Amino acid sequence: MSALGPDRLIEFPVTQLDRVGVPVWATWWTGADGRGESTTSGLGYGATELRARVGALGECVEHVGSRLALAGREVERGSTREMRRRHGHHGVVDPRLLGLPAGTDFDDDRPLAWWALRRLRGGSLTDEQVLAPAELVASARGELPAEAAPGGWLVTPVTNGLGAGGRLEQAIAHGVLEVLQRDGNGLTFRAMDTGVVLDLDGVRDAETLAVLDRLRAAGVDVVAKLAATDFGMANIDVVGMADDDDILSATACGEAVHPDREEALRKAVLEFASARARKQLMHGPLDAVRGVAPPEFLAQVEAVDPAGEEQRVLAAMLAWLRAPREHWEPLLRGKVLARRTTVRFTDLPSEAVAGDDVLAVLCGRLESEGHEVLVADLSPAPEDGVHAAKVLVPGLEVETVAYGRIGERNVRRLVQAGRTDLVRVGEAPAGWARVHLTAEAEQRLGGPAWLDRHALDAVAGSLLPLYREPGWHAAQVALARAGAGGQSAMRT
């Protein structure tokens, strides 16, 4: 709280927005200039109110740290080819390894804006600098350099890889875990759910069992699923719904990966339970929000401007909120909640790892498969033990379904899954977008790769809000302005 500035911070519990009762807290931070673009937020959960509050403050620290640390950061400009001449191949990350949108206008001569990160080795931060495109380091549009490179930005900034903690190593570990989580589940859950259900007999963690009991007592049919076991770690997502849930509660999801399967499941279960309240806060009826938020926060609600949102994402959420139950429930049951095969939880890979050792273990597993970790230190108050970091792991992937970002890893996954409707290697199909790959990747795959962007968009279809959500309250404000009865539409 001291690092964020108590006079700039609003925090409040939102637990009562859902009947399950798992503690959930919200934070809202306003910059010194008081302008709308200088606001950010955080949400946290836990088995206790204090842990939920700390989690919300930690998420706020991630965003505030990123915004403050990147503001005015020195930018180096030049093409990938020029940067390699200045800094050598070892000092510049190839943008193709960071998952570019298929078909985007990119080659080694396109001018870009670059920021410096540091290389991690064996879990220890080195002084080796590596330059990466600014849009891959930033986590929001407002953090980008004031002047865009010619041709605009390569990607929409996303928060993947942000982490916070009481030590820099802890913040980095949180960021690495998020990168691993999203790389592992991006093509196996939500609209592309593979239906691999976990048999939870044998779960030992008392906290996990207690939260599962609370969910079931509230009428929620909980489904834990296996997304992946890459790098020898259980990548788990948890979904489920109650018979009387609206579309927001019914689409709650918790995700986690960890060397210890019990840790992964506990986080995923807690996040799932908290997401039921989180989604009601962000997109649910404004009267309910007014019932839990302090008066000083309500002015923030009134200042929401839906025009500032990514419009395709806002439109998709509005369609959700207006849809009758008979439209969305069969879709969820056939995809997100599908049950096709079962795997025993006790058969998942697992290694008990002490908290201080997690980063070294994660780096060891990544490095053993040829991946390195790059870090931007975003700590807002390191002298007070308040740290934040943004992590990039070249070669791991994110946002393939939402933004068509894809590289060698997801091309290979789709090919192995037989998805020739989405990806092909070799001769270019008419109208398909070329995947940006290194020459070495094309050689390993057996030729250039191509993505059908239209077919991929159809895969997400009306489930796009499972991947990207508009900002707090934007959908309800838009409904109210359209005279659509936003508060009653939620319960249709």
Side-chain angles (χ1 to χ4, degrees):
M1 289 183 65
S2 176
L4 292 169
D7 57 327
R8 303 183 190 179
L9 183 67
I10 302 170
E11 54 171 348
F12 54 99
V14 297
T15 311
Q16 68 190 70
L17 290 176
D18 181 65
R19 64 177 180 268
V20 172
V22 169
V24 187
W25 275 67
T27 53
W28 189 268
W29 180 89
T30 304
D33 59 9
R35 297 181 299 170
E37 63 268 24
S38 293
T39 61
T40 192
S41 59
L43 287 155
Y45 56 87
T48 66
E49 295 291 329
L50 180 58
R51 284 170 61 181
R53 187 180 173 194
V54 168
L57 289 167
E59 190 170 271
C60 198
V61 162
E62 293 175 3
H63 297 294
V64 172
S66 187
R67 181 158 301 184
L68 297 180
L70 297 179
R73 175 171 285 203
E74 182 179 352
V75 176
E76 189 168 350
R77 296 184 182 273
S79 68
T80 304
R81 194 182 311 277
E82 291 169 335
M83 299 301 287
R84 287 169 177 163
R85 281 200 295 264
R86 295 177 205 167
H87 302 281
H89 277 68
H90 198 58
V92 181
V93 64
D94 191 326
R96 298 171 184 84
L97 296 176
L98 299 174
L100 300 182
T104 196
D105 179 18
F106 173 78
D107 60 31
D108 284 345
D109 294 312
R110 174 172 171 164
L112 300 173
W114 303 78
W115 274 328
L117 297 90
R118 292 162 65 190
R119 182 172 275 116
L120 206 68
R121 290 189 185 279
S124 298
L125 202 58
T126 73
D127 292 327
E128 298 177 45
Q129 287 201 340
V130 184
L131 289 148
E135 54 268 63
L136 276 307
V137 182
S139 296
R141 290 184 182 274
E143 298 169 6
L144 291 167
E147 181 184 349
W153 305 110
L154 290 172
V155 300
T156 298
V158 295
T159 60
N160 185 44
L162 271 181
R167 296 175 296 107
L168 181 57
E169 293 77 11
Q170 184 184 28
I172 296 170
H174 288 162
V176 174
L177 284 168
E178 184 174 67
V179 170
L180 286 163
Q181 166 197 305
R182 296 188 181 184
D183 170 80
N185 67 18
L187 298 180
T188 56
F189 80 148
R190 296 176 177 166
M192 300 185 76
D193 196 296
T194 53
V196 182
V197 176
L198 290 174
D199 176 353
L200 298 183
D201 283 350
V203 173
R204 299 190 308 272
D205 184 80
E207 196 170 285
T208 302
L209 295 171
V211 176
L212 287 171
D213 285 345
R214 294 182 75 161
L215 286 161
R216 290 161 179 158
V220 180
D221 181 16
V222 184
V223 187
K225 294 190 170 184
L226 178 64
T229 55
D230 297 345
F231 304 102
M233 289 182 276
N235 194 323
I236 296 171
D237 55 279
V238 175
V239 293
M241 65 179 290
D243 290 341
D244 59 346
D245 277 347
D246 64 18
I247 193 170
L248 294 179
S249 296
T251 52
C253 180
E255 314 161 45
V257 66
H258 198 277
D260 185 339
R261 63 182 178 236
E262 295 278 355
E263 290 273 356
L265 181 63
R266 178 170 67 241
K267 180 182 182 298
V269 168
L270 278 166
E271 187 176 81
F272 165 68
S274 73
R276 294 172 56 86
R278 174 193 72 79
K279 298 187 80 167
Q280 294 295 339
L281 170 68
M282 292 181 65
H283 314 299
L286 295 180
D287 281 350
V289 174
R290 294 184 184 104
V292 300
E296 59 268 28
F297 178 74
L298 299 181
Q300 305 295 335
V301 178
E302 299 303 321
V304 168
D305 182 7
E309 298 295 322
E310 187 176 350
Q311 291 304 300
R312 68 174 186 130
V313 172
L314 178 61
M317 179 61 79
L318 291 175
W320 263 22
L321 301 184
R322 291 171 172 143
R325 187 180 195 94
E326 58 266 25
H327 172 76
W328 58 260
E329 184 172 350
L331 186 61
L332 292 184
R333 292 198 182 278
K335 291 197 173 185
V336 179
L337 301 173
R339 306 170 190 242
R340 298 185 179 93
T341 59
T342 301
V343 173
R344 291 187 299 182
F345 175 75
T346 52
D347 287 343
L348 299 182
S350 192
E351 176 187 355
V353 181
D356 290 345
D357 299 329
V358 170
L359 183 58
V361 169
L362 297 176
C363 289
R365 297 192 183 189
L366 285 164
E367 290 167 5
S368 70
E369 296 193 25
H371 297 283
E372 64 177 358
V373 178
L374 308 178
V375 177
D377 184 352
L378 310 173
S379 302
E383 67 282 357
D384 294 327
V386 180
H387 295 272
K390 179 68 177 280
V391 169
L392 299 182
V393 181
L396 300 195
E397 304 197 27
V398 69
E399 299 293 3
T400 294
V401 176
Y403 291 123
R405 290 178 57 181
I406 187 170
E408 178 184 6
R409 196 168 173 83
N410 276 356
V411 166
R412 190 178 301 281
R413 285 167 167 155
L414 289 171
V415 168
Q416 291 174 346
R419 296 303 303 264
T420 55
D421 57 321
L422 299 177
V423 162
R424 295 183 192 173
V425 175
E427 186 176 347
W432 289 34
R434 184 162 184 169
V435 178
H436 289 286
L437 300 169
T438 64
E440 296 80 6
E442 288 195 351
Q443 185 175 16
R444 286 189 292 268
L445 289 170
W450 309 88
L451 178 72
D452 187 338
R453 293 291 300 267
H454 297 295
L456 186 65
D457 289 344
V459 167
S462 60
L463 294 177
L464 179 62
L466 293 176
Y467 295 90
R468 304 297 298 171
E469 299 179 23
W472 291 29
H473 319 305
Q476 287 293 334
V477 170
L479 282 174
R481 291 180 182 176
Q487 306 225 355
S488 61
M490 287 303 307
R491 301 294 170 180
T492 301

mmCIF file of all heavy atoms in Angstrom, residues 20 46 148 154 157 210 223 234 292 314 337 380 391 471:
data_model
loop_
_atom_site.group_PDB
_atom_site.id
_atom_site.type_symbol
_atom_site.label_atom_id
_atom_site.label_comp_id
_atom_site.label_asym_id
_atom_site.label_seq_id
_atom_site.Cartn_x
_atom_site.Cartn_y
_atom_site.Cartn_z
ATOM 1 N N VAL A 20 -20.623 -18.527 -3.563
ATOM 2 C CA VAL A 20 -19.654 -19.521 -3.094
ATOM 3 C C VAL A 20 -18.901 -19.028 -1.868
ATOM 4 O O VAL A 20 -18.592 -19.790 -0.953
ATOM 5 C CB VAL A 20 -18.675 -19.905 -4.229
ATOM 6 C CG1 VAL A 20 -17.549 -20.785 -3.714
ATOM 7 C CG2 VAL A 20 -19.434 -20.610 -5.341
ATOM 8 N N GLY A 46 -8.037 -15.787 -2.447
ATOM 9 C CA GLY A 46 -7.286 -16.627 -1.524
ATOM 10 C C GLY A 46 -8.229 -17.318 -0.556
ATOM 11 O O GLY A 46 -9.437 -17.046 -0.530
ATOM 12 N N ALA A 148 5.061 5.671 -32.380
ATOM 13 C CA ALA A 148 5.082 4.327 -32.949
ATOM 14 C C ALA A 148 6.084 4.245 -34.084
ATOM 15 O O ALA A 148 6.396 5.241 -34.739
ATOM 16 C CB ALA A 148 3.698 3.945 -33.451
ATOM 17 N N LEU A 154 3.502 -4.211 -34.009
ATOM 18 C CA LEU A 154 3.390 -5.581 -34.508
ATOM 19 C C LEU A 154 2.234 -6.340 -33.875
ATOM 20 O O LEU A 154 1.566 -7.144 -34.527
ATOM 21 C CB LEU A 154 4.689 -6.354 -34.235
ATOM 22 C CG LEU A 154 5.921 -5.965 -35.038
ATOM 23 C CD1 LEU A 154 7.145 -6.695 -34.489
ATOM 24 C CD2 LEU A 154 5.726 -6.306 -36.510
ATOM 25 N N PRO A 157 -0.435 -5.242 -27.193
ATOM 26 C CA PRO A 157 0.220 -5.661 -25.947
ATOM 27 C C PRO A 157 -0.727 -6.460 -25.058
ATOM 28 O O PRO A 157 -1.921 -6.157 -24.966
ATOM 29 C CB PRO A 157 0.601 -4.329 -25.286
ATOM 30 C CG PRO A 157 0.650 -3.339 -26.396
ATOM 31 C CD PRO A 157 -0.409 -3.776 -27.368
ATOM 32 N N ALA A 210 -11.300 -28.098 0.639
ATOM 33 C CA ALA A 210 -12.275 -27.229 1.297
ATOM 34 C C ALA A 210 -12.987 -26.345 0.281
ATOM 35 O O ALA A 210 -14.212 -26.148 0.357
ATOM 36 C CB ALA A 210 -11.586 -26.380 2.354
ATOM 37 N N VAL A 223 -15.516 -29.064 -12.829
ATOM 38 C CA VAL A 223 -14.813 -29.951 -13.748
ATOM 39 C C VAL A 223 -13.360 -29.496 -13.847
ATOM 40 O O VAL A 223 -13.086 -28.409 -14.365
ATOM 41 C CB VAL A 223 -15.448 -29.956 -15.153
ATOM 42 C CG1 VAL A 223 -14.785 -31.025 -16.028
ATOM 43 C CG2 VAL A 223 -16.940 -30.162 -15.083
ATOM 44 N N ALA A 234 2.107 -30.232 -14.545
ATOM 45 C CA ALA A 234 0.661 -30.317 -14.744
ATOM 46 C C ALA A 234 0.112 -28.931 -15.036
ATOM 47 O O ALA A 234 0.219 -28.020 -14.222
ATOM 48 C CB ALA A 234 -0.007 -30.893 -13.502
ATOM 49 N N VAL A 292 -21.434 -3.171 -3.451
ATOM 50 C CA VAL A 292 -20.219 -3.632 -2.774
ATOM 51 C C VAL A 292 -19.088 -2.609 -2.816
ATOM 52 O O VAL A 292 -18.175 -2.666 -1.986
ATOM 53 C CB VAL A 292 -19.708 -4.962 -3.380
ATOM 54 C CG1 VAL A 292 -20.755 -6.050 -3.242
ATOM 55 C CG2 VAL A 292 -19.286 -4.800 -4.832
ATOM 56 N N LEU A 314 -15.639 -5.858 -27.235
ATOM 57 C CA LEU A 314 -16.829 -5.301 -26.599
ATOM 58 C C LEU A 314 -18.097 -5.838 -27.260
ATOM 59 O O LEU A 314 -19.047 -6.233 -26.575
ATOM 60 C CB LEU A 314 -16.790 -3.780 -26.676
ATOM 61 C CG LEU A 314 -18.006 -3.049 -26.092
ATOM 62 C CD1 LEU A 314 -18.157 -3.343 -24.613
ATOM 63 C CD2 LEU A 314 -17.888 -1.546 -26.335
ATOM 64 N N LEU A 337 -17.332 -27.301 -21.251
ATOM 65 C CA LEU A 337 -17.636 -28.270 -20.198
ATOM 66 C C LEU A 337 -17.605 -29.717 -20.692
ATOM 67 O O LEU A 337 -17.992 -30.625 -19.956
ATOM 68 C CB LEU A 337 -19.010 -27.961 -19.603
ATOM 69 C CG LEU A 337 -19.163 -26.560 -18.994
ATOM 70 C CD1 LEU A 337 -20.608 -26.317 -18.593
ATOM 71 C CD2 LEU A 337 -18.240 -26.379 -17.808
ATOM 72 N N PRO A 380 8.394 -1.143 -8.578
ATOM 73 C CA PRO A 380 8.105 0.248 -8.228
ATOM 74 C C PRO A 380 8.765 0.711 -6.939
ATOM 75 O O PRO A 380 8.968 1.912 -6.745
ATOM 76 C CB PRO A 380 6.579 0.263 -8.090
ATOM 77 C CG PRO A 380 6.230 -1.135 -7.687
ATOM 78 C CD PRO A 380 7.232 -2.023 -8.374
ATOM 79 N N VAL A 391 8.175 -10.891 -18.132
ATOM 80 C CA VAL A 391 9.003 -11.998 -18.601
ATOM 81 C C VAL A 391 8.652 -12.341 -20.045
ATOM 82 O O VAL A 391 7.471 -12.418 -20.401
ATOM 83 C CB VAL A 391 8.784 -13.240 -17.702
ATOM 84 C CG1 VAL A 391 9.416 -14.482 -18.321
ATOM 85 C CG2 VAL A 391 9.345 -12.992 -16.309
ATOM 86 N N GLY A 471 -12.823 -3.886 -20.672
ATOM 87 C CA GLY A 471 -12.476 -3.355 -19.364
ATOM 88 C C GLY A 471 -13.660 -3.308 -18.416
ATOM 89 O O GLY A 471 -14.819 -3.536 -18.798
#
